[in-house]
Amino acid sequence: NAGVTQTPKFQVLKTGQSMTLQCAQDMNHEYMSWYRQDPGMGLRLIHYSVGAGITDQGEVPNGYNVSRSTTEDFPLRLLSAAPSQTSVYFCASSSDWNTEAFFGQGTRLTVV
Amino acid sequence: AQSVAQPEDQVNVAEGNPLTVKCTYSVSGNPYLFWYVQYPNRGLQFLLKYITGDNLVKGSYGFEAEFNKSQTSFHLKKPSALVSDSALYFCAVRDTTGGGADGLTFGKGTHLIIQP
């Protein structure tokens, strides 16, 4: 029972590079979200999706894109990495907004 | 807009003593409230939630939380702390009037340190 799987676990990027953080869940959850965690700031919502083909912006969407072509996958794309995007990124899924969210192990991203 | 405040960056408790981690929230309508725990280098794990009903909610690992609508609070409690409870705790809220939008809003987290 894999739950929510994020890849990679660690990544170092140079300023201006692009990359995609992968997130996959095997629980058939409709709701998926991306958060970033920064020291002293808790988790902040970047983008979320309420089902395949439906995405929306969260609190801090600038510099990130998402798509949801399948129920299972919700990749997060960094278009042109900046040092301010150095953070730990978490993907989460749930069957509904009032149910338990399952989190991936996180991706620690450093932009130099 | 919805918001969550965790007023304490760190809470120190001696093993065996009761613990409380505070959380207050602000929503336009009624809240869905959650507590999550994060151990070092791990993702968040669900502890408990309040949706409707009984104001005292019981969750995993002996934790409980009390929903207080008049004080807009949802404090996490445990009668007897264990060293293994040491971790980072997050309170989260979603406004039920959101109609499925906006996701969860998290507090900044409280480091709970249980001293042997």
Side-chain angles (χ1 to χ4, degrees):
Chain A
N1 189 3
V4 179
T5 302
Q6 288 184 240
T7 55
K9 288 186 169 55
F10 301 94
Q11 184 70 49
V12 179
L13 287 180
K14 294 182 178 179
T15 298
Q17 286 184 318
S18 62
M19 78 160 295
T20 299
L21 307 185
Q22 302 291 343
C23 176
Q25 52 93 7
D26 61 359
M27 297 170 283
N28 201 33
H29 285 167
E30 292 293 331
Y31 293 75
M32 296 187 74
S33 308
W34 276 102
Y35 296 87
R36 59 178 288 173
Q37 183 179 22
D38 301 293
M41 301 188 73
L43 277 76
R44 292 181 291 168
L45 182 66
I46 304 172
H47 286 283
Y48 63 95
S49 169
V50 298
I54 306 169
T55 64
D56 207 344
Q57 297 180 352
E59 179 185 356
V60 288
N62 292 340
Y64 308 95
N65 271 357
V66 292
S67 60
R68 184 97 179 270
S69 57
T70 67
T71 299
E72 294 77 20
D73 300 301
F74 191 43
L76 178 72
R77 297 181 184 85
L78 279 70
L79 308 172
S80 178
S84 61
Q85 294 178 304
T86 293
S87 187
V88 181
Y89 292 84
F90 288 100
C91 178
S93 75
S94 62
S95 57
D96 201 342
W97 284 130
N98 63 353
T99 59
E100 169 189 359
F102 292 82
F103 284 78
Q105 297 282 0
T107 296
R108 186 174 295 275
L109 175 68
T110 302
V111 182
V112 298
Chain B
Q2 56 201 33
S3 66
V4 174
Q6 293 181 241
E8 301 154 318
D9 290 335
Q10 184 170 305
V11 171
N12 295 282
V13 178
E15 187 176 25
N17 282 1
L19 69 88
T20 299
V21 183
K22 296 179 180 177
C23 171
T24 58
Y25 67 89
S26 175
V27 295
S28 301
N30 292 315
Y32 293 149
L33 291 157
F34 302 81
W35 276 102
Y36 288 86
V37 60
Q38 184 181 32
Y39 297 99
N41 301 313
R42 302 292 300 274
L44 277 69
Q45 297 176 30
F46 171 79
L47 280 179
L48 51 79
K49 67 180 180 182
Y50 172 83
I51 304 299
T52 63
D54 194 347
N55 289 343
L56 184 62
V57 178
K58 294 187 183 297
S60 306
Y61 313 120
F63 284 93
E64 58 188 30
E66 186 166 10
F67 171 64
N68 188 317
K69 188 171 183 177
S70 63
Q71 296 186 4
T72 62
S73 66
F74 190 55
H75 301 331
L76 181 70
K77 300 181 180 183
K78 188 174 182 181
S80 179
L82 300 172
V83 172
S84 58
D85 293 331
S86 298
L88 182 58
Y89 290 80
F90 289 99
C91 182
V93 69
R94 182 180 171 272
D95 190 337
T96 61
T97 62
D102 298 333
L104 285 173
T105 297
F106 284 82
K108 294 182 178 181
T110 298
H111 288 275
L112 177 63
I113 298 174
I114 309 301
Q115 295 152 334

